[in-house]
């Protein structure tokens, strides 16, 4: 399928602000006692920069223990396809997700091939007790460890926080599940961790997990050809497994990303959808957001977004990191309406159903912003056409 919009059509101070949280919440251990703040955190505003992760050093050798944890992950090409089951799953590649949070505990994907707490690798993927996902930075199944867990938990809440009258309600509340791939800013460099994370989710999908999208609210510029090829090869693995990649463009204060080798956002593949941020009124590109009509498809609200953070709280954050999960969640809603849609088809529907906005003309390839209702309606209509044809 043609990649429609890819063909066509200085870092800011970062931070967040605490909002008043409901007083009723589940008693949980506060993971923030041991987890560093999200990348780019600052107490002066609610802006949180898109994390860039550690750069490849060229000399770094991953710990042998970590290599052994990921060595057994298989390529989907080595396995026969199996039927997918359960609601659509969005894999959040980030710092980790506090799955104990009141708003998230019922929204987490649970590995049906693993036995919780027995310390064994029941599903034979090299990871012990990976109940709700994988911690790539530490080679473990523990999502509550590593840098940027505030960031990852906030992203997850935008996608699937429960509609329970507390805090926020996720775009795909009750319709999608979250698989946490945490620790992406720990251990090895960002690119190596991304490759291992891709191997994990592709392997899980080959087993039958209904993983339909990856949310990537991070990225950086990679100028060397070797790194660029590695990024493309990894995302091609997602494409081969029919998994959509929704990526955040940079927070470059209005910079144009057309000629920047920004990865994974600027890859020209049919399963990649890149997102800029609208302001909180949803009528202009946010001042902090980058753009690029050759590499960014659309925009979504990313300013002053209330969502979950570790320890049972909710806070507002702003950034392209917050816009991207709104699109990933909408994709999940579309897969829920019509499970037969491919990643490329959902991507193109999202682009085709954007609401045109004069402020986005010449800034994103579609000239528009996310229209959740229109996108879901398009997916529903496609399911009806399939039913009629049958």
């Amino acid at each position: 399928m043609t990649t429609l919009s890819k063909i066509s059509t200085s870092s800011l101070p970062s931070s967040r602000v605490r909002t008043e949280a409901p007083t009723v919440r589940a008693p949980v251990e506060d993971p923030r006692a041991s987890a560093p703040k999200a990348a780019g955190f600052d107490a002066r505003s609610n802006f949180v920069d898109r994390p860039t992760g550690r750069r490849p050093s060229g000399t770094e050798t991953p710990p042998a223990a970590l290599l052994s944890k990921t060595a057994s992950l298989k390529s989907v090409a080595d396995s026969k396809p199996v039927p997918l089951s359960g609601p659509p799953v969005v894999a959040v590649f980030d710092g980790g997700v506090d799955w104990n949070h009141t708003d998230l505990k019922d929204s987490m994907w649970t590995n049906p091939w693993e036995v919780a707490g027995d310390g064994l690798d029941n599903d034979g993927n090299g990871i012990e007790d990976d109940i709700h996902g994988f911690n790539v930075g530490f080679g473990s199944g523990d999502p509550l460890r590593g840098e940027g867990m505030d960031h990852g938990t906030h992203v997850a809440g935008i996608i699937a926080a429960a509609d329970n009258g507390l805090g926020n309600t996720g775009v795909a509340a009750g319709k999608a599940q979250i698989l946490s791939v945490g620790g992406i800013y720990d251990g090895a460099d960002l690119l190596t961790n991304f490759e291992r994370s891709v191997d994990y989710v592709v392997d899980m999908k080959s087993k039958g997990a209904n993983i339909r999208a990856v949310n990537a609210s991070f990225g950086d510029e990679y100028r060397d050809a070797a790194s660029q090829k590695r990024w493309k090869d990894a995302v091609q693995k997602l494409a081969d497994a029919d998994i959509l990649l929704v990526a955040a463009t940079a927070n470059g204060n209005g910079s144009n990303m057309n000629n920047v080798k920004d990865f994974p956002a600027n890859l020209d593949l049919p399963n990649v959808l890149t997102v800029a941020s609208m302001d909180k009124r949803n009528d202009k590109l946010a001042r902090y957001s980058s753009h690029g009509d050759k590499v960014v498809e659309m925009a979504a609200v990313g300013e002053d977004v209330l969502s979950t953070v570790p320890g049972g709280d909710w806070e507002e954050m702003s950034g392209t990191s917050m816009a991207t999960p709104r699109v990933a969640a909408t994709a999940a809603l579309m897969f829920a309406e019509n499970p037969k849609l491919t990643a490329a088809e959902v991507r193109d529907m999202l682009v085709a159903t954007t609401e045109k906005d004069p402020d986005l003309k010449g800034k994103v390839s579609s000239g528009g912003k996310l229209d959740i209702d229109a996108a879901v309606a398009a997916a529903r209509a496609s399911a009806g056409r399939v039913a009629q044809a049958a």
Side-chain angles (χ1 to χ4, degrees), residues 10 30 37 42 95 105 133 173 181 249 261 299-300 325 327 330 344 349:
S10 77
D30 188 351
K37 302 299 184 187
D42 187 289
K105 62 183 181 180
V181 179
T249 194
K261 302 300 183 181
V327 178
T330 303
M349 282 183 183

Short mmCIF file of all heavy atoms in Angstrom, two decimals, residues 10 30 37 42 95 105 133 173 181 249 261 299-300 325 327 330 344 349:
data_model
loop_
_atom_site.label_atom_id
_atom_site.label_comp_id
_atom_site.label_asym_id
_atom_site.label_seq_id
_atom_site.Cartn_x
_atom_site.Cartn_y
_atom_site.Cartn_z
N SER A 10 15.90 23.17 19.40
CA SER A 10 16.49 23.66 20.63
C SER A 10 15.64 23.33 21.82
O SER A 10 14.48 23.50 21.88
CB SER A 10 16.76 25.10 20.63
OG SER A 10 15.60 25.89 20.83
N ASP A 30 4.35 3.76 46.30
CA ASP A 30 4.67 4.84 45.38
C ASP A 30 5.97 4.53 44.65
O ASP A 30 7.05 4.62 45.22
CB ASP A 30 4.81 6.16 46.15
CG ASP A 30 4.97 7.35 45.21
OD1 ASP A 30 5.13 7.12 44.00
OD2 ASP A 30 4.93 8.50 45.71
N LYS A 37 12.61 11.18 37.55
CA LYS A 37 11.56 11.90 36.85
C LYS A 37 11.64 11.66 35.35
O LYS A 37 12.66 11.25 34.83
CB LYS A 37 11.67 13.41 37.12
CG LYS A 37 11.60 13.79 38.59
CD LYS A 37 10.29 13.39 39.22
CE LYS A 37 10.21 13.85 40.67
NZ LYS A 37 9.04 13.33 41.36
N ASP A 42 10.70 19.55 34.67
CA ASP A 42 11.04 20.82 35.28
C ASP A 42 9.83 21.30 36.06
O ASP A 42 8.70 21.09 35.64
CB ASP A 42 11.41 21.84 34.19
CG ASP A 42 11.93 23.15 34.77
OD1 ASP A 42 11.13 23.89 35.34
OD2 ASP A 42 13.13 23.41 34.62
N GLY A 95 9.25 4.72 29.51
CA GLY A 95 9.98 4.51 30.75
C GLY A 95 9.36 3.47 31.65
O GLY A 95 9.97 3.05 32.63
N LYS A 105 -5.03 -0.32 36.38
CA LYS A 105 -4.86 -1.73 36.75
C LYS A 105 -5.77 -2.66 35.97
O LYS A 105 -5.43 -3.83 35.74
CB LYS A 105 -5.05 -1.90 38.25
CG LYS A 105 -6.44 -1.54 38.77
CD LYS A 105 -6.50 -1.68 40.28
CE LYS A 105 -7.88 -1.35 40.82
NZ LYS A 105 -7.92 -1.50 42.30
N GLY A 133 4.18 -7.01 30.45
CA GLY A 133 5.11 -6.51 29.45
C GLY A 133 6.55 -6.81 29.81
O GLY A 133 6.85 -7.73 30.57
N ALA A 173 -10.76 4.01 26.58
CA ALA A 173 -11.14 3.37 27.85
C ALA A 173 -12.12 2.22 27.62
O ALA A 173 -13.14 2.39 26.94
CB ALA A 173 -11.78 4.40 28.78
N VAL A 181 6.27 -1.70 27.59
CA VAL A 181 7.66 -2.01 27.34
C VAL A 181 8.45 -0.88 27.99
O VAL A 181 8.62 0.19 27.41
CB VAL A 181 7.99 -2.15 25.85
CG1 VAL A 181 9.48 -2.43 25.65
CG2 VAL A 181 7.16 -3.27 25.23
N THR A 249 6.57 13.71 16.76
CA THR A 249 7.60 14.58 16.19
C THR A 249 8.28 15.34 17.33
O THR A 249 7.88 15.23 18.49
CB THR A 249 7.02 15.54 15.15
OG1 THR A 249 8.11 16.13 14.40
CG2 THR A 249 6.20 16.65 15.80
N LYS A 261 16.85 14.01 10.00
CA LYS A 261 16.82 12.54 10.08
C LYS A 261 16.37 12.14 11.49
O LYS A 261 17.15 11.65 12.30
CB LYS A 261 18.19 11.97 9.74
CG LYS A 261 18.70 12.35 8.36
CD LYS A 261 17.75 11.85 7.26
CE LYS A 261 18.29 12.18 5.87
NZ LYS A 261 17.36 11.72 4.80
N ALA A 299 -1.94 16.32 13.45
CA ALA A 299 -1.73 16.85 14.81
C ALA A 299 -2.89 16.41 15.69
O ALA A 299 -3.96 16.03 15.21
CB ALA A 299 -1.64 18.37 14.78
N ALA A 300 -2.64 16.45 17.00
CA ALA A 300 -3.68 16.14 17.99
C ALA A 300 -3.38 16.96 19.23
O ALA A 300 -2.25 17.41 19.44
CB ALA A 300 -3.70 14.65 18.31
N PRO A 325 -0.28 9.61 21.93
CA PRO A 325 -1.15 8.54 22.40
C PRO A 325 -2.63 8.76 22.11
O PRO A 325 -3.40 7.79 22.08
CB PRO A 325 -0.87 8.50 23.91
CG PRO A 325 -0.24 9.80 24.25
CD PRO A 325 0.51 10.20 23.03
N VAL A 327 -3.70 9.61 19.24
CA VAL A 327 -3.83 8.99 17.92
C VAL A 327 -3.71 7.48 18.04
O VAL A 327 -4.47 6.73 17.40
CB VAL A 327 -2.77 9.57 16.96
CG1 VAL A 327 -2.86 8.90 15.60
CG2 VAL A 327 -2.96 11.09 16.81
N THR A 330 -6.94 6.15 19.28
CA THR A 330 -7.97 6.17 18.24
C THR A 330 -7.78 5.00 17.28
O THR A 330 -8.75 4.36 16.86
CB THR A 330 -7.92 7.50 17.47
OG1 THR A 330 -8.09 8.60 18.40
CG2 THR A 330 -9.01 7.57 16.42
N ALA A 344 -1.60 -0.46 7.89
CA ALA A 344 -1.51 0.56 6.85
C ALA A 344 -2.88 1.16 6.54
O ALA A 344 -3.00 2.37 6.29
CB ALA A 344 -0.89 -0.04 5.59
N MET A 349 -6.65 5.74 6.97
CA MET A 349 -7.96 6.25 7.40
C MET A 349 -7.81 7.41 8.37
O MET A 349 -8.55 8.39 8.31
CB MET A 349 -8.77 5.13 8.07
CG MET A 349 -9.41 4.15 7.12
SD MET A 349 -10.41 2.94 8.06
CE MET A 349 -10.94 1.88 6.72
#
